C-alpha cells in the first residue's frame, strides 16, 4: 500500500498485491512444473467514487515433460489465465506436443517445441456494454527457449512463443507472440539482481484491446 501526491488535498492511494509461486518435481524420467502468478492493483481504494481496479491478472500453468532427459521428449500442459482489467474473464489452454534438445553444454541449453492446443477465451467487449465474446480455437503452439551462463556472474533465461489458429468467424488466422526474457547478475554471495521483460502481441484480438502489452521488473534474488 502506498500513495502518490496528486495535490495538497488530493493524494492518490494504491493497493498492490503480487504473488509468484512455482513448484517443480524432477524425477529420473519425467519433469513436472506448476507455475503461478497473480497481480492486483487498486487505485484510490479509500474512495468509493474514485476506486478503480487498474490490474487484476494472473495464471496457473501445469506442464509435464515426459522422458525429459532424452533429446526428443513429449509435453502435456494446461493453463488457466485471467486479466479482468483488460476484459479477459478467462483463457483456458489444453494441449501437448514434442520438445527437442537443440544444443547443450555445461553452460548453455537450447530447446524448441511444437504442438497443438485448444484455446477457450471469454472477453468483455470494452466498446459494447454487457456484450461478451467467446472463442474456441484449435491452435498451433510453438516455442524456443535459451538458457545460458554468459560469465561467472551473468546468466540469461529466455523463452518465446508463437501461437496461431484459424478462426472461421473472420476467415483469417489469429496470431500471438509472447515471451519472457530474464537476466540475472550475481552481486555478492547468494544475492543477485534480476531483470525481467515480459510481453504479448496479438494481431487480431477477440475484442478491441491494446495489441501489445509488456512489463519490465527489476529486483533482488536470494538463493538458498
Amino acid at each position: 500500500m502506498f500513495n502518490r501526491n496528486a495535490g495538497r488535498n488530493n493524494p492518490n492511494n494504491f493497493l498492490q498485491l503480487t504473488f509468484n509461486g512455482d513448484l517443480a518435481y524432477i524425477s529420473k524420467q519425467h519433469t513436472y512444473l506448476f507455475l503461478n502468478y497473480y497481480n492486483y492493483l487498486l487505485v484510490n481504494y479509500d474512495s468509493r467514487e474514485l476506486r478503480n481496479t487498474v490490474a487484476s491478472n494472473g495464471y496457473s500453468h501445469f506442464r509435464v515433460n515426459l522422458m525429459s532427459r532424452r533429446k526428443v521428449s513429449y509435453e502435456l500442459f494446461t493453463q488457466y489465465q485471467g486479466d479482468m482489467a483488460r476484459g479477459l474473464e478467462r483463457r483456458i489452454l489444453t494441449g501437448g506436443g514434442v520438445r527437442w534438445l537443440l544444443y547443450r553444454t555445461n553452460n548453455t541449453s537450447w530447446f524448441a517445441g511444437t504442438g497443438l492446443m485448444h484455446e477457450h477465451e471469454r472477453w468483455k467487449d470494452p466498446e459494447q456494454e454487457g456484450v461478451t465474446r467467446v472463442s474456441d480455437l484449435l491452435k498451433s503452439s510453438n516455442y524456443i527457449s535459451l538458457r545460458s551462463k554468459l560469465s561467472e556472474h551473468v546468466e540469461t533465461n529466455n523463452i518465446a512463443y508463437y501461437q496461431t489458429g484459424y478462426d472461421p468467424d473472420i476467415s483469417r488466422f489469429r496470431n500471438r507472440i509472447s515471451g519472457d526474457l530474464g537476466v540475472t547478475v550475481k552481486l555478492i554471495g547468494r544475492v543477485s539482481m534480476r531483470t525481467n521483460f515480459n510481453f504479448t502481441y496479438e494481431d487480431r484480438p477477440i475484442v478491441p484491446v491494446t495489441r501489445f502489452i509488456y512489463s519490465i521488473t527489476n529486483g533482488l534474488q536470494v538463493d538458498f
Side-chain angles (χ1 to χ4, degrees):
M1 298 174 64
F2 56 96
N3 68 359
R4 294 290 182 270
N5 196 355
R8 183 170 57 185
N9 299 314
N10 186 29
N12 286 325
N13 299 295
F14 297 80
L15 171 65
Q16 183 167 21
L17 304 172
T18 303
F19 170 77
N20 277 292
D22 299 337
L23 296 174
Y25 175 70
I26 303 173
S27 69
K28 292 183 178 180
Q29 291 187 324
H30 314 306
T31 298
Y32 304 86
L33 299 174
F34 185 43
L35 312 175
N36 301 274
Y37 170 80
Y38 180 69
N39 177 57
Y40 178 78
L41 176 59
L42 180 66
V43 177
N44 293 319
Y45 58 86
D46 59 346
S47 171
R48 289 189 177 182
E49 294 77 15
L50 300 177
R51 189 178 300 163
N52 182 31
T53 301
V54 177
S56 177
N57 60 288
Y59 63 82
S60 289
H61 182 96
F62 180 68
R63 181 176 294 259
V64 180
N65 186 202
L66 304 173
M67 307 300 176
S68 57
R69 299 183 184 273
R70 296 182 180 179
K71 188 170 184 179
V72 179
S73 58
Y74 308 94
E75 293 183 307
L76 299 172
F77 61 87
T78 185
Q79 176 174 306
Y80 183 92
Q81 181 179 358
D83 192 347
M84 294 302 296
R86 298 183 71 224
L88 177 60
E89 294 184 346
R90 61 176 176 266
R91 175 184 288 148
I92 302 174
L93 312 178
T94 305
V98 181
R99 185 191 199 201
W100 289 274
L101 171 61
L102 302 178
Y103 177 77
R104 174 181 280 170
T105 66
N106 291 333
N107 296 325
T108 301
S109 58
W110 291 14
F111 290 92
T114 187
L116 293 174
M117 69 178 189
H118 176 267
E119 179 182 84
H120 168 80
E121 288 185 309
R122 183 180 177 91
W123 288 83
K124 290 182 178 179
D125 194 319
E127 297 183 350
Q128 300 185 54
E129 185 70 26
V131 175
T132 301
R133 308 290 183 187
V134 178
S135 173
D136 286 281
L137 297 179
L138 181 66
K139 286 190 171 184
S140 168
S141 179
N142 313 276
Y143 71 87
I144 186 166
S145 68
L146 165 64
R147 183 170 186 172
S148 180
K149 186 175 182 180
L150 303 178
S151 70
E152 185 178 349
H153 299 284
V154 181
E155 293 185 8
T156 181
N157 193 359
N158 311 295
I159 188 165
Y161 290 90
Y162 171 64
Q163 297 165 336
T164 183
Y166 183 78
D167 188 345
D169 291 339
I170 61 173
S171 300
R172 303 184 74 173
F173 281 87
R174 296 189 188 272
N175 303 288
R176 180 187 302 126
I177 300 173
S178 60
D180 196 352
L181 315 177
V183 176
T184 303
V185 180
K186 182 176 289 187
L187 299 178
I188 184 171
R190 298 178 180 271
V191 180
S192 304
M193 183 180 74
R194 181 170 178 82
T195 298
N196 242 71
F197 176 61
N198 180 276
F199 70 92
T200 300
Y201 172 77
E202 298 191 60
D203 64 342
R204 298 180 183 91
I206 303 298
V207 297
V209 292
T210 304
R211 295 184 181 184
F212 180 69
I213 58 174
Y214 68 91
S215 65
I216 301 174
T217 58
N218 296 281
L220 294 178
Q221 176 176 296
V222 181
D223 297 317
F224 298 95

